[in-house]
Amino acid sequence: MTELLLAERVAVVTGAGQGIGREIARTLVTHGARVILADINGDLAGDAATDVGGIGVACDVTSPEQMHDLVTGVTTDLGRLDVFVNNAGITRDASLKKMSVEDFDMVVRVHLRGAWLGVREASAVMREQKSGSIVNISSLSGKSGNPGQTNYSAAKAGIVGLTKAAAKEVAHHNVRVNAIQPGLIRTPMTAAMPPEIFAEREAAVPMKRAGEPAEVAGAVVFLASELSSYVTGTVLEVGGGRFM
Ligand code: NAP
């Protein structure tokens, strides 16, 4: 029998209670990993863990203490940490005229501070272990800029800078850091968009359809596994050809 791509690996996915994070967790489990699903909503994390066959925990990615405890708990209980996926996210869309400072701060806080805390905590363990793969979920919105998303686009572009700087810092420890930029993906986050905006964005995709969460998860498996052993500091677009 062929060995599973992620056999014996331990992986953490943040924001894994639903949407893309849940599918990433499911796909990592399918490929043999033991997966910890972390979400700010502990009940949702528990439900998702039961659904995909992982372990659910409550964790707010903006809290340095909770992120530290998450990584310490995983390494204490499971003995190692091989994959860390910074996926948790929110949107607070509004035009520049209408966006509040609170909505700007909140979005940057969850995405950028959250991912930075995840990179910091995971890389501290992985550098000692001399192996590991960190995957940060950015967005094509961070490449192209979306009107109404000055907060989100800024945070998602920031994740690219974070990814490259961290990749350079830890490459010689055999720790890799990469980012994925999904395009329009069908999840609870995009279900909240006005249908006409969703349809407009979908029509602009060269493949003429929105993506599914599992299609982002496939890219995560590639970056998490030895298939990408010489890949670091890159940004992989999963957007059906949008903004190529
Ligand atoms: P989603 O369905 O809203 O799922 C995101 C999850 O993250 C939710 O369970 C959410 O919990 C959780 N979360 C929010 N704040 C958190 C925090 N502080 N700590 C821990 N967990 C938190 O979104 P999604 O569409 O799957 O998006 C997942 C990632 O992909 C995000 O980073 C998003 O920006 C990115 N992305 C999505 C798309 C797309 O088209 N869907 C495109 C490009 C990039 P609550 O529901 O309780 O807030």
Side-chain angles (χ1 to χ4, degrees), residues 74-137:
V74 169
T75 47
T76 303
D77 294 349
L78 302 176
R80 51 187 304 112
L81 176 63
D82 302 289
V83 178
F84 197 97
V85 185
N86 285 299
N87 166 81
I90 59 166
T91 49
R92 295 287 183 275
D93 296 356
S95 66
L96 275 170
K97 269 186 178 172
K98 293 185 184 151
M99 189 179 291
S100 66
V101 172
E102 289 72 27
D103 283 347
F104 177 84
D105 285 346
M106 184 70 179
V107 166
V108 171
R109 195 174 165 84
V110 173
H111 290 278
L112 199 46
R113 174 186 164 112
W116 182 80
L117 287 169
V119 168
R120 186 177 73 158
E121 294 300 330
S123 66
V125 172
M126 291 172 176
R127 62 194 294 158
E128 295 304 316
Q129 194 177 266
K130 295 282 172 229
S131 69
S133 171
I134 299 171
V135 182
N136 297 324
I137 306 299

Coordinates of all heavy atoms in Angstrom, one line a residue, residues 74-137:
V74 N -0.5 21.1 22.1 CA -0.4 20.2 21.0 C 0.9 19.4 21.1 O 1.0 18.2 21.0 CB -0.5 20.9 19.6 CG1 -0.1 19.9 18.5 CG2 -1.9 21.3 19.4
T75 N 2.0 20.2 21.3 CA 3.3 19.5 21.4 C 3.4 18.6 22.6 O 4.1 17.6 22.6 CB 4.5 20.5 21.3 OG1 4.2 21.6 22.2 CG2 4.6 21.1 19.9
T76 N 2.8 19.1 23.7 CA 2.9 18.3 24.9 C 2.1 17.0 24.7 O 2.5 15.9 25.1 CB 2.3 19.0 26.1 OG1 3.0 20.3 26.3 CG2 2.3 18.3 27.4
D77 N 0.9 17.1 24.2 CA 0.0 15.9 24.1 C 0.4 15.0 22.9 O 0.2 13.8 23.0 CB -1.5 16.4 23.8 CG -2.0 17.1 25.1 OD1 -1.4 17.1 26.1 OD2 -3.1 17.7 24.9
L78 N 0.8 15.6 21.8 CA 1.1 14.7 20.6 C 2.6 14.6 20.2 O 2.9 13.9 19.3 CB 0.3 15.3 19.4 CG -1.3 15.3 19.6 CD1 -2.0 15.9 18.5 CD2 -1.8 13.9 19.9
G79 N 3.4 15.4 21.0 CA 4.8 15.1 20.8 C 5.5 15.9 19.7 O 6.8 15.9 19.6
R80 N 4.8 16.5 18.8 CA 5.4 17.2 17.7 C 4.4 18.2 17.1 O 3.2 18.1 17.4 CB 6.0 16.2 16.7 CG 5.0 15.2 16.2 CD 5.6 14.1 15.3 NE 6.3 14.8 14.2 CZ 7.6 14.8 14.0 NH1 8.4 14.2 14.9 NH2 8.1 15.4 12.9
L81 N 4.9 19.0 16.1 CA 4.1 19.9 15.3 C 4.7 20.0 14.0 O 5.8 20.5 13.8 CB 3.9 21.3 16.0 CG 3.1 22.3 15.2 CD1 1.7 21.9 15.0 CD2 3.2 23.7 15.9
D82 N 4.0 19.5 13.0 CA 4.6 19.5 11.6 C 3.9 20.5 10.7 O 4.6 20.9 9.7 CB 4.3 18.1 11.0 CG 5.0 17.0 11.9 OD1 6.2 16.9 11.9 OD2 4.3 16.3 12.6
V83 N 2.7 20.8 10.9 CA 2.0 21.7 9.9 C 1.1 22.6 10.7 O 0.4 22.2 11.7 CB 1.0 20.8 9.0 CG1 0.2 21.7 8.1 CG2 1.8 19.7 8.3
F84 N 1.2 23.9 10.4 CA 0.4 24.9 11.1 C -0.3 25.8 10.0 O 0.4 26.4 9.2 CB 1.2 25.8 12.0 CG 0.3 26.5 13.0 CD1 0.1 26.1 14.3 CD2 -0.3 27.7 12.6 CE1 -0.7 26.7 15.2 CE2 -1.1 28.4 13.6 CZ -1.3 27.9 14.9
V85 N -1.6 25.8 9.9 CA -2.3 26.5 8.9 C -3.0 27.7 9.5 O -3.9 27.6 10.3 CB -3.3 25.6 8.2 CG1 -4.0 26.4 7.0 CG2 -2.7 24.4 7.7
N86 N -2.5 28.9 9.2 CA -3.2 30.2 9.7 C -4.3 30.5 8.7 O -4.1 31.1 7.7 CB -2.2 31.3 9.7 CG -1.2 31.2 10.9 OD1 -1.6 31.2 12.0 ND2 0.1 31.0 10.6
N87 N -5.5 30.1 9.1 CA -6.7 30.2 8.2 C -7.8 31.2 8.8 O -8.6 31.7 8.0 CB -7.3 28.8 8.0 CG -8.6 28.9 7.4 OD1 -8.8 29.0 6.2 ND2 -9.7 28.7 8.2
A88 N -7.8 31.4 10.1 CA -8.9 32.1 10.7 C -9.1 33.5 10.0 O -8.1 34.1 9.7 CB -8.7 32.3 12.2
G89 N -10.3 33.9 9.8 CA -10.5 35.2 9.2 C -11.9 35.7 9.4 O -12.9 35.0 9.7
I90 N -12.0 37.0 9.2 CA -13.3 37.7 9.2 C -13.3 38.8 8.1 O -12.3 39.1 7.6 CB -13.6 38.4 10.6 CG1 -12.5 39.5 10.9 CG2 -13.7 37.4 11.7 CD1 -12.8 40.4 12.0
T91 N -14.5 39.2 7.8 CA -14.6 40.4 6.9 C -15.5 41.5 7.6 O -16.4 41.1 8.4 CB -15.3 40.1 5.6 OG1 -16.4 39.4 5.8 CG2 -14.3 39.3 4.7
R92 N -15.2 42.7 7.4 CA -16.0 43.8 7.8 C -16.0 44.8 6.7 O -15.3 45.9 6.8 CB -15.4 44.5 9.1 CG -15.4 43.6 10.4 CD -16.8 43.5 10.9 NE -16.8 42.7 12.2 CZ -16.8 41.4 12.3 NH1 -16.8 40.6 11.2 NH2 -16.8 40.8 13.4
D93 N -16.6 44.5 5.6 CA -16.5 45.3 4.4 C -17.3 46.6 4.5 O -18.4 46.7 5.0 CB -17.1 44.5 3.2 CG -16.3 43.2 2.8 OD1 -15.3 43.0 3.5 OD2 -16.8 42.5 1.9
A94 N -16.7 47.7 3.9 CA -17.4 49.0 3.8 C -16.5 49.9 2.9 O -15.3 49.6 2.8 CB -17.5 49.6 5.2
S95 N -17.1 50.9 2.3 CA -16.3 51.8 1.6 C -15.4 52.6 2.5 O -15.7 52.7 3.7 CB -17.2 52.8 0.8 OG -17.9 53.5 1.7
L96 N -14.4 53.3 2.0 CA -13.5 54.1 2.8 C -14.4 55.2 3.6 O -14.1 55.5 4.7 CB -12.5 54.8 2.0 CG -11.2 54.0 1.7 CD1 -10.4 54.8 0.6 CD2 -10.4 53.8 2.9
K97 N -15.4 55.7 2.9 CA -16.3 56.7 3.5 C -17.0 56.2 4.8 O -17.2 56.9 5.7 CB -17.4 57.1 2.5 CG -17.0 58.3 1.6 CD -18.3 58.6 0.8 CE -18.1 59.8 -0.1 NZ -19.2 59.9 -1.0
K98 N -17.3 54.9 4.7 CA -18.1 54.3 5.8 C -17.4 53.4 6.8 O -17.9 53.1 7.9 CB -19.3 53.5 5.2 CG -20.3 54.4 4.4 CD -21.4 53.5 3.9 CE -22.4 54.4 3.1 NZ -23.1 53.6 2.1
M99 N -16.2 53.0 6.4 CA -15.5 52.0 7.3 C -15.0 52.7 8.6 O -14.4 53.8 8.5 CB -14.3 51.4 6.6 CG -13.7 50.3 7.4 SD -12.3 49.5 6.5 CE -13.1 48.7 5.1
S100 N -15.3 52.1 9.7 CA -14.9 52.7 11.0 C -13.5 52.2 11.3 O -13.0 51.2 10.8 CB -15.8 52.2 12.1 OG -15.7 50.8 12.3
V101 N -12.8 52.9 12.2 CA -11.5 52.6 12.6 C -11.5 51.2 13.3 O -10.6 50.4 13.1 CB -10.9 53.6 13.5 CG1 -9.6 53.2 14.2 CG2 -10.7 54.9 12.8
E102 N -12.6 50.9 14.0 CA -12.8 49.7 14.7 C -12.8 48.5 13.7 O -12.2 47.5 13.9 CB -14.1 49.7 15.5 CG -14.0 50.5 16.8 CD -14.1 52.0 16.4 OE1 -14.6 52.4 15.4 OE2 -13.5 52.8 17.2
D103 N -13.5 48.7 12.6 CA -13.6 47.6 11.6 C -12.3 47.4 10.9 O -11.9 46.3 10.4 CB -14.7 48.0 10.5 CG -16.1 47.7 11.1 OD1 -16.2 47.0 12.2 OD2 -17.1 48.1 10.5
F104 N -11.5 48.5 10.7 CA -10.2 48.4 10.1 C -9.3 47.6 11.1 O -8.7 46.5 10.7 CB -9.5 49.7 9.8 CG -8.1 49.6 9.3 CD1 -7.9 49.4 8.0 CD2 -7.0 49.6 10.2 CE1 -6.6 49.2 7.5 CE2 -5.7 49.4 9.7 CZ -5.5 49.2 8.4
D105 N -9.3 48.0 12.3 CA -8.4 47.4 13.3 C -8.8 45.9 13.6 O -7.9 45.0 13.7 CB -8.5 48.1 14.7 CG -7.8 49.4 14.7 OD1 -7.0 49.6 13.8 OD2 -8.0 50.2 15.6
M106 N -10.0 45.6 13.6 CA -10.5 44.3 13.9 C -10.0 43.3 12.8 O -9.6 42.2 13.1 CB -12.0 44.3 13.9 CG -12.7 43.0 14.3 SD -12.4 42.7 16.0 CE -13.3 41.2 16.2
V107 N -10.2 43.7 11.5 CA -9.8 42.8 10.4 C -8.3 42.6 10.4 O -7.8 41.5 10.2 CB -10.4 43.4 9.1 CG1 -9.7 42.7 7.9 CG2 -11.9 43.2 9.1
V108 N -7.5 43.7 10.6 CA -6.1 43.5 10.6 C -5.6 42.7 11.8 O -4.7 41.9 11.7 CB -5.4 44.9 10.6 CG1 -3.9 44.8 10.9 CG2 -5.7 45.7 9.3
R109 N -6.3 42.9 12.9 CA -6.0 42.1 14.1 C -6.2 40.6 13.9 O -5.3 39.8 14.2 CB -6.9 42.6 15.2 CG -6.5 42.3 16.6 CD -7.5 43.0 17.6 NE -7.4 42.4 18.9 CZ -6.4 42.7 19.8 NH1 -5.5 43.7 19.5 NH2 -6.4 42.1 20.9
V110 N -7.3 40.2 13.4 CA -7.6 38.8 13.2 C -6.6 38.2 12.2 O -5.9 37.2 12.4 CB -9.0 38.5 12.8 CG1 -9.2 37.0 12.5 CG2 -10.0 38.9 14.0
H111 N -6.5 38.8 11.0 CA -5.7 38.2 9.9 C -4.2 38.4 10.2 O -3.5 37.4 10.1 CB -6.1 38.9 8.6 CG -7.5 38.5 8.1 ND1 -7.7 37.3 7.5 CD2 -8.6 39.1 8.2 CE1 -9.0 37.2 7.2 NE2 -9.6 38.3 7.6
L112 N -3.8 39.6 10.4 CA -2.3 39.8 10.4 C -1.7 39.5 11.7 O -0.7 38.8 11.8 CB -2.1 41.3 10.0 CG -0.7 41.6 9.5 CD1 -0.2 40.6 8.4 CD2 -0.7 43.0 8.8
R113 N -2.3 40.1 12.8 CA -1.7 39.7 14.1 C -1.9 38.2 14.4 O -1.0 37.5 14.9 CB -2.5 40.6 15.2 CG -2.1 40.2 16.6 CD -3.1 41.1 17.5 NE -3.1 40.6 18.9 CZ -2.7 41.3 19.9 NH1 -2.1 42.5 19.7 NH2 -2.8 40.8 21.1
G114 N -3.1 37.7 14.0 CA -3.4 36.3 14.2 C -2.4 35.4 13.5 O -1.8 34.5 14.1
A115 N -2.1 35.7 12.2 CA -1.2 34.9 11.5 C 0.3 35.1 12.0 O 1.0 34.1 12.1 CB -1.2 35.3 10.0
W116 N 0.6 36.3 12.4 CA 1.9 36.5 13.0 C 2.1 35.7 14.2 O 3.2 35.1 14.4 CB 2.2 38.0 13.2 CG 3.5 38.3 13.8 CD1 4.7 38.4 13.0 CD2 3.9 38.5 15.1 NE1 5.7 38.7 13.9 CE2 5.3 38.7 15.2 CE3 3.2 38.5 16.3 CZ2 6.0 38.9 16.4 CZ3 3.8 38.7 17.5 CH2 5.2 38.9 17.5
L117 N 1.1 35.7 15.1 CA 1.2 34.9 16.3 C 1.4 33.4 16.0 O 2.1 32.7 16.6 CB 0.0 35.1 17.2 CG -0.1 36.5 17.9 CD1 -1.5 36.7 18.6 CD2 1.0 36.6 19.0
G118 N 0.6 33.0 15.0 CA 0.7 31.6 14.6 C 2.1 31.2 14.1 O 2.6 30.2 14.4
V119 N 2.6 32.1 13.2 CA 3.9 31.8 12.7 C 5.0 31.8 13.8 O 5.8 31.0 13.9 CB 4.3 32.9 11.6 CG1 5.7 32.9 11.3 CG2 3.4 32.8 10.4
R120 N 4.8 32.8 14.7 CA 5.8 32.9 15.8 C 5.8 31.6 16.7 O 6.8 31.0 17.0 CB 5.5 34.1 16.7 CG 6.6 34.3 17.7 CD 6.3 35.6 18.5 NE 5.2 35.5 19.4 CZ 5.1 36.2 20.5 NH1 5.9 37.2 20.8 NH2 4.0 36.0 21.3
E121 N 4.6 31.2 17.1 CA 4.5 30.1 18.0 C 4.9 28.7 17.3 O 5.6 27.9 17.8 CB 3.1 29.9 18.5 CG 2.6 31.1 19.5 CD 3.5 31.2 20.7 OE1 4.1 30.2 21.2 OE2 3.7 32.4 21.2
A122 N 4.4 28.6 16.1 CA 4.7 27.3 15.4 C 6.1 27.2 15.0 O 6.8 26.1 15.2 CB 3.8 27.2 14.1
S123 N 6.7 28.3 14.5 CA 8.1 28.2 14.1 C 9.1 28.0 15.3 O 10.1 27.4 15.1 CB 8.5 29.5 13.3 OG 8.5 30.6 14.2
A124 N 8.7 28.5 16.5 CA 9.5 28.2 17.7 C 9.7 26.7 17.9 O 10.8 26.3 18.2 CB 8.9 28.9 18.9
V125 N 8.6 26.0 17.7 CA 8.7 24.5 17.9 C 9.4 23.9 16.7 O 10.2 23.0 16.9 CB 7.2 24.0 18.1 CG1 7.2 22.4 18.1 CG2 6.6 24.5 19.3
M126 N 9.0 24.3 15.5 CA 9.5 23.6 14.3 C 11.0 23.8 14.1 O 11.7 22.9 13.7 CB 8.8 24.2 13.1 CG 7.3 23.7 13.1 SD 6.4 24.6 11.7 CE 4.8 23.8 11.8
R127 N 11.5 25.0 14.5 CA 13.0 25.2 14.4 C 13.8 24.2 15.3 O 14.8 23.8 14.9 CB 13.4 26.7 14.6 CG 13.1 27.2 15.9 CD 13.2 28.7 15.9 NE 14.6 29.2 15.7 CZ 14.9 30.4 15.2 NH1 13.9 31.3 14.9 NH2 16.1 30.7 15.0
E128 N 13.3 24.0 16.5 CA 13.9 23.0 17.3 C 13.8 21.6 16.8 O 14.7 20.8 16.9 CB 13.3 23.0 18.7 CG 13.5 24.4 19.5 CD 15.0 24.8 19.6 OE1 15.8 23.9 19.9 OE2 15.3 25.9 19.4
Q129 N 12.7 21.3 16.2 CA 12.4 20.0 15.6 C 13.2 19.8 14.3 O 13.3 18.7 13.8 CB 10.9 20.0 15.3 CG 10.2 18.7 15.1 CD 8.7 18.8 14.9 OE1 8.0 18.7 15.8 NE2 8.3 19.2 13.7
K130 N 13.6 20.9 13.7 CA 14.3 20.9 12.4 C 13.4 20.4 11.3 O 13.9 19.9 10.3 CB 15.6 20.1 12.5 CG 16.6 20.6 13.5 CD 17.4 21.8 12.8 CE 18.3 22.5 13.8 NZ 18.2 24.0 13.8
S131 N 12.2 20.7 11.4 CA 11.3 20.4 10.3 C 9.9 21.0 10.5 O 9.5 21.2 11.7 CB 11.1 18.9 10.0 OG 10.3 18.3 11.1
G132 N 9.2 21.4 9.5 CA 7.8 21.9 9.6 C 7.4 22.7 8.4 O 8.3 23.2 7.7
S133 N 6.1 22.8 8.3 CA 5.6 23.6 7.2 C 4.4 24.5 7.7 O 3.5 24.0 8.3 CB 5.0 22.7 6.1 OG 4.3 23.5 5.1
I134 N 4.6 25.8 7.5 CA 3.5 26.7 7.9 C 2.8 27.3 6.6 O 3.5 27.6 5.7 CB 4.1 27.9 8.7 CG1 4.8 27.4 10.0 CG2 3.1 29.0 9.0 CD1 5.6 28.4 10.7
V135 N 1.5 27.2 6.6 CA 0.8 27.7 5.5 C -0.2 28.8 5.9 O -1.0 28.6 6.8 CB -0.1 26.6 4.8 CG1 -0.8 27.1 3.6 CG2 0.8 25.4 4.5
N136 N 0.0 30.0 5.3 CA -0.8 31.1 5.7 C -1.9 31.4 4.6 O -1.5 31.5 3.4 CB 0.1 32.4 5.8 CG 1.1 32.2 6.9 OD1 0.8 31.7 7.9 ND2 2.3 32.8 6.7
I137 N -3.1 31.5 5.0 CA -4.2 31.7 4.0 C -4.3 33.3 3.8 O -4.9 34.0 4.6 CB -5.5 31.1 4.4 CG1 -5.3 29.6 4.7 CG2 -6.5 31.3 3.3 CD1 -4.8 28.7 3.6

